[in-house]
Amino acid sequence: MEKRNVYMDYSATTPLKGEVLDAMMPYLKENYGNPSSIYSKGIESKEAIKQSRTKISRLIGSKSDEIYFTSSGSEADNWAIFGALKGNGKHIVTSKIEHPAILNTLSYLETKGYDVTYLDVNESGLVNPDDLEKAIRDDTALVTIMMANNEIGTIQPIQKLVKLAHDKNVLFHSDAVQALGNIPVDVNKLGVDMMSFSAHKIYGPKGIGALYIKEGIEIENFVYGGGQENGKRAGTENVPAIIGFGKAAELAMNCLKEHVCHCLDLRNYLADELYAAVFDSHVNGTMLDRLPGNLNVSFDYAEGEAILLMLDYMGISVSTGSACGSSDSVPSHVLTAIGVPESRIHGTIRFSIGCFTTKDDVDYVVKAVKEVTKKLKELSPLK
Ligand SMILES: *Cc1c(COP(=O)(O)O)cnc(C)c1O
């Protein structure tokens, strides 16, 4: 089998699209003006930021002044949570399968006297709306539930969940970092009050994210200083990254349909071929409400880390349970929450497909996984 480099970890990060880099270049070179400066060179940068904001707002159906740039998706998640807590009660509702940017922020708040309810999910990874309704209390300040999960790709019924929170006058935030660019995201239709995004998951640069804050929603400032981001998040703007984010959003909007079809076709092909090639394999989560590019599979008789390293040797980049769990062996909280037994969690690989993945890539990965899992099974004392 001829060695090939295959990147199949688009949920961890995506490569920059060429058009995105081209759009950024002038702002890394000659257009270095500070957007707050009032001479031409500054105004040029300010104008460019404005256009980026508009491009992102078009992708999510918001107004452009409802977009606030942050340093990352993680910062947007932090801001949404801390910002919503200004004296509004001591209780927050979330799900058990959130990203660490949400879960670790909330566990910090628990040490500061806040009370957090972690909603269970079913074997597909879905929150039960009845559970949410029951969890909301008089002192609930915020509900935060992600739109699409980064490990198993589950897409939550956000619109329905928002309605339940709003019936009780509670703010709703959703982490849509994985959803953006991969499924339609319309903040008005969903009804969310706040939503988090990150550029490097949609073929944009790293280190730039955004928080959508619905007009009229008052949340606390996150960084104090200058007047950037409508005075709510200070710091001279990362202009090249913002331009890149805007370009990536524009491209995502233009190619969403084709992108979804491309990912779905290849993901389903990968799932079918793997199922046929590796007898002892099990797909985690549901194939219905799932991100088009996501496949999460457990292999009996093989450790995820061993599979990952052997695939890496063959030129393939994938993830175990989650990127954040890849350097230790704590079982994934997401797979635990959907009821995957611990022994099986240790043998889990996440494959995530994106716009540069080809059918030849999938064929190569299937062959490699077949070979690697066969080898590991032969060595396994469990078989
Ligand atoms: C990647 C990711 C984040 C974090 O975004 P960064 O920009 O890397 O900080 C948050 N939530 C989800 C669901 C993610 O996949």
Side-chain angles (χ1 to χ4, degrees):
M1 193 161 50
E2 203 182 327
K3 187 172 168 178
R4 192 183 164 93
N5 285 317
V6 177
Y7 184 75
M8 225 179 246
D9 202 13
Y10 282 78
S11 290
T13 193
T14 57
L16 206 64
K17 278 185 179 163
E19 298 100 309
V20 173
L21 180 63
D22 291 345
M24 291 170 70
M25 278 317 267
Y27 297 89
L28 289 158
K29 288 175 156 177
E30 60 270 20
N31 300 357
Y32 51 80
N34 187 321
S36 299
S37 301
I38 56 176
Y39 42 79
S40 316
K41 220 173 179 48
I43 293 168
E44 209 170 63
S45 296
K46 192 175 170 172
E47 260 316 300
I49 290 177
K50 195 173 150 195
Q51 284 173 20
S52 262
R53 223 184 280 281
T54 302
K55 286 173 184 169
I56 295 162
S57 70
R58 281 200 196 116
L59 178 60
I60 65 165
S62 74
K63 295 177 187 149
S64 70
D65 54 10
E66 292 173 317
I67 304 288
Y68 295 81
F69 289 112
T70 61
S71 69
S72 58
S74 300
E75 187 191 316
D77 284 347
N78 273 254
W79 186 8
I81 292 170
F82 286 109
L85 292 179
K86 44 157 197 176
N88 277 345
K90 286 270 176 190
H91 179 235
I92 302 147
V93 182
T94 190
S95 82
K96 285 191 177 161
I97 63 165
E98 297 298 308
H99 188 271
I102 296 288
L103 290 179
N104 290 336
T105 306
L106 294 176
S107 65
Y108 164 75
L109 284 168
E110 283 179 299
T111 70
K112 297 285 161 191
Y114 286 88
D115 206 5
V116 180
T117 300
Y118 299 91
L119 299 175
D120 286 324
V121 294
N122 67 14
E123 67 285 352
S124 304
L126 290 165
V127 165
N128 181 346
D130 293 341
D131 291 348
L132 173 62
E133 194 170 17
K134 282 183 214 135
I136 295 173
R137 318 191 304 216
D138 289 342
D139 66 340
T140 306
L142 179 71
V143 175
T144 174
I145 295 175
M146 74 200 317
M147 186 162 180
N149 183 268
N150 46 302
E151 292 189 41
I152 54 171
T154 307
I155 301 164
Q156 301 293 343
I158 294 296
Q159 201 174 351
K160 203 180 209 170
L161 301 175
V162 168
K163 200 173 170 306
L164 292 172
H166 284 178
D167 283 349
K168 301 192 178 182
N169 285 318
V170 176
L171 287 179
F172 197 104
H173 165 257
S174 182
D175 175 335
V177 171
Q178 289 289 337
L180 193 69
N182 289 315
I183 52 172
V185 175
D186 180 335
V187 289
N188 287 315
K189 198 167 146 208
L190 295 168
V192 290
D193 300 298
M194 292 181 279
M195 202 162 226
S196 304
F197 307 105
S198 179
H200 77 98
K201 304 282 173 80
I202 65 160
Y203 311 96
K206 293 168 182 63
I208 186 77
L211 182 64
Y212 157 79
I213 307 175
K214 186 161 66 183
E215 191 173 55
I217 301 295
E218 288 294 327
I219 72 160
E220 298 243 288
N221 297 0
F222 199 59
V223 180
Y224 291 87
Q228 294 91 354
E229 302 308 302
N230 204 18
K232 288 186 177 297
R233 197 268 186 191
T236 299
E237 297 89 337
N238 186 347
V239 184
I242 289 174
I243 304 313
F245 193 178
K247 188 67 192 180
E250 179 182 85
L251 296 172
M253 183 154 153
N254 294 341
C255 75
L256 185 62
K257 264 204 194 106
E258 295 88 319
H259 180 67
V260 171
C261 290
H262 173 80
C263 292
L264 262 182
D265 283 351
L266 288 179
R267 194 275 313 277
N268 292 341
Y269 178 59
L270 172 65
D272 293 346
E273 294 291 301
L274 268 184
Y275 184 73
V278 187
F279 180 69
D280 310 294
S281 64
H282 316 268
V283 172
N284 298 310
T286 168
M287 291 306 271
L288 297 176
D289 305 301
R290 186 181 199 119
L291 286 174
N294 173 286
L295 190 68
N296 187 301
V297 184
S298 296
F299 299 95
D300 296 337
Y301 316 113
E303 287 286 323
E305 280 89 67
I307 300 173
L308 183 150
L309 292 174
M310 287 168 81
L311 290 179
D312 184 31
Y313 187 74
M314 298 171 90
I316 298 168
S317 311
V318 292
S319 225
T320 54
S322 76
C324 314
S326 55
S327 54
D328 52 48
S329 58
V330 178
S332 146
H333 66 286
V334 177
L335 298 173
T336 304
I338 64 170
V340 179
E342 192 169 331
S343 56
R344 197 171 267 181
I345 293 177
H346 287 302
T348 301
I349 294 290
R350 177 186 70 185
F351 303 91
S352 46
I353 282 167
C355 74
F356 299 118
T357 311
T358 64
K359 186 167 175 287
D360 287 345
D361 289 340
V362 174
D363 288 332
Y364 179 70
V365 167
V366 171
K367 276 195 202 117
V369 171
K370 184 177 180 176
E371 194 176 304
V372 160
T373 50
K374 185 164 169 267
K375 241 181 238 164
L376 288 168
K377 184 176 175 179
E378 279 162 15
L379 299 170
S380 170
L382 301 171
K383 66 169 185 292

